[in-house]
Amino acid sequence: MTYWNPNPDIIPIALPTPFIVGPVNCFLVKGTPLTLVDTGLQTDESYLALTTRLGELGYSIRDIEAVILTHAHVDHIGLLARVVAESGAKTFAHVSTANQLEHFEENESRTQSFIMETLREFGTPEEIVLRTAEARDTFRGMAAGVSVDHRMKHGETVLNYTVCYAPGHSSSDTLFVDEKRRLAFSGDHVLKRISPNPLMRRPRKDQPRAKSLVEYQVSLRRTLELDLEVCYPGHGDPIAEHTKVIDSLLERQERRTEKIQGILLEGGSMTPHQVCEAIFPGIDAQYYYLGMSLAIGHLEVLEERGQAYSESRDGILHYTLASTKAGSI
């Protein structure tokens, strides 16, 4: 497969995943140090694809000198421990990615418990909660804990890249921007043919749960201001004119918010589970967490705008359009 790539020293390497999103990209950046951006899943199939492609390019895992990580999802960081063990490469990541990696199994267990508790709060029937837990268990073994050598903060410079923290799709999304060459490794923050789903996630200690879609839209609007010729994304082809891609994504999100506003108008007071079922009737447990993340994200956008409000009734969260409050009509 050939496609537009204005930087011949940056080699996209597509690695297989079992997920609906399809292959995940990592990137070999020629030069000193020889750098790998993201690593793919911790599976034998992914490792074979990586080593085979490196071999075709005249390299091996042992030649990798640096690894940059865009965020802490398993399809992007899974092979990190194996790559580092074989190569001795130095690792670079935003502090939020580093924190998740260094206690990966513990974080995954806590996240699993949080998600199950939150789904119950959202009115999800117990059968679906348990099937969702089983589906998420398939992620186990696809990554391993590892310490990061260089824990970066927003605005710092590493290997000629400016670190741009852009949470939303995940709590750890990071762009690595080469301002001189007008390029960025953008992970799953901006994708051309896929709408990145801002995932519901466990809050930081003593903090409320983040409103992922609200946060994501703030990050997207900041990314619009970057002067870029090309983004190298976690899935799909390199992206030219990132501003058009982001504008299109924000427009699609707005249409979805309007659709959910219409669902609330018709259904009255509804739980997030009921909204999710209205958008995705009969959704499979394998995708329920993704569907619920989308539903709660748009409900929170409406709430942030003052167009809807939430209240807990017997421990179950309900959303209602603000215009239907008693005495407001």
Side-chain angles (χ1 to χ4, degrees):
M1 179 179 67
T2 58
Y3 47 75
W4 174 77
N5 177 10
N7 300 287
D9 61 319
I10 298 175
I11 313 297
I13 301 176
L15 302 178
T17 81
F19 306 137
I20 192 171
V21 73
V24 62
N25 293 330
C26 62
F27 298 93
L28 183 71
V29 185
K30 296 181 179 180
T32 303
L34 185 69
T35 301
L36 190 67
V37 180
D38 289 341
T39 68
L41 281 172
Q42 183 176 269
T43 64
D44 291 338
E45 185 181 14
S46 182
Y47 179 78
L48 177 60
L50 176 60
T51 54
T52 298
R53 183 60 179 137
L54 287 175
E56 293 170 351
L57 296 168
Y59 299 101
S60 71
I61 293 289
R62 293 187 300 275
D63 297 316
I64 303 298
E65 298 172 292
V67 180
I68 292 174
L69 303 171
T70 62
H71 62 299
H73 283 170
V74 293
D75 53 335
H76 294 263
I77 54 87
L79 281 173
L80 179 64
R82 191 167 183 178
V83 168
V84 170
E86 292 189 29
S87 66
K90 297 298 181 183
T91 51
F92 301 81
H94 185 268
V95 63
S96 61
T97 300
N99 287 342
Q100 292 182 51
L101 273 172
E102 289 172 3
H103 305 282
F104 187 79
E105 287 298 328
E106 179 184 350
N107 283 328
E108 283 297 296
S109 294
R110 290 182 176 179
T111 296
Q112 183 81 321
S113 297
F114 163 77
I115 289 172
M116 300 309 107
E117 291 171 6
T118 304
L119 292 183
R120 293 184 180 101
E121 181 189 358
F122 287 172
T124 306
E126 190 64 18
E127 179 186 358
I128 297 178
V129 172
L130 295 177
R131 285 194 281 122
T132 300
E134 291 176 0
R136 283 188 54 80
D137 279 340
T138 61
F139 292 166
R140 296 189 181 278
M142 292 184 176
V146 63
S147 293
V148 172
D149 296 306
H150 299 276
R151 301 160 58 92
M152 313 305 299
K153 294 183 180 179
H154 177 79
E156 291 186 7
T157 300
V158 53
L159 304 179
N160 296 320
Y161 302 109
T162 299
V163 177
C164 294
Y165 182 49
H169 166 66
S170 79
S171 63
S172 56
D173 284 356
T174 311
L175 282 71
F176 290 86
V177 180
D178 185 328
E179 295 171 341
K180 183 177 181 180
R181 299 172 70 187
R182 300 177 60 231
L183 65 86
F185 295 103
S186 53
D188 289 356
H189 177 63
V190 180
L191 303 176
K192 190 170 185 179
R193 293 183 175 86
I194 304 167
S195 294
N197 194 345
L199 298 176
M200 179 181 67
R201 56 184 184 268
R202 179 167 56 91
R204 295 182 176 90
K205 185 177 180 181
D206 300 324
Q207 297 293 320
R209 178 175 55 81
K211 296 181 178 181
S212 298
L213 181 55
V214 172
E215 185 178 62
Y216 184 39
Q217 291 180 344
V218 171
S219 292
L220 284 172
R221 291 187 174 98
R222 288 174 179 164
T223 303
L224 278 171
E225 300 174 3
L226 296 176
D227 179 22
L228 299 173
E229 179 187 19
V230 56
C231 287
Y232 290 96
H235 305 274
D237 298 351
I239 296 171
E241 298 182 308
H242 74 290
T243 56
K244 290 185 178 180
V245 174
I246 292 175
D247 284 340
S248 177
L249 174 57
L250 289 169
E251 288 173 6
R252 293 197 301 275
Q253 290 175 350
E254 186 60 30
R255 290 195 296 270
R256 179 77 74 179
T257 298
E258 291 172 357
K259 179 177 180 179
I260 290 177
Q261 188 175 21
I263 289 171
L264 285 180
L265 180 62
E266 182 176 346
S269 182
M270 300 176 70
T271 68
H273 168 72
Q274 289 171 328
V275 173
C276 182
E277 284 285 333
I279 306 168
F280 307 109
I283 186 172
D284 188 274
Q286 181 179 357
Y287 308 116
Y288 183 81
Y289 170 63
L290 302 179
M292 180 58 84
S293 292
L294 185 148
I296 191 62
H298 289 278
L299 288 169
E300 289 171 342
V301 167
L302 289 170
E303 187 173 31
E304 188 78 4
R305 294 174 178 176
Q307 295 175 304
Y309 67 96
S310 63
E311 58 183 350
S312 182
R313 303 176 194 164
D314 298 323
I316 304 298
L317 198 64
H318 290 73
Y319 278 83
T320 308
L321 287 182
S323 60
T324 62
K325 274 189 176 182
S328 65
I329 298 177

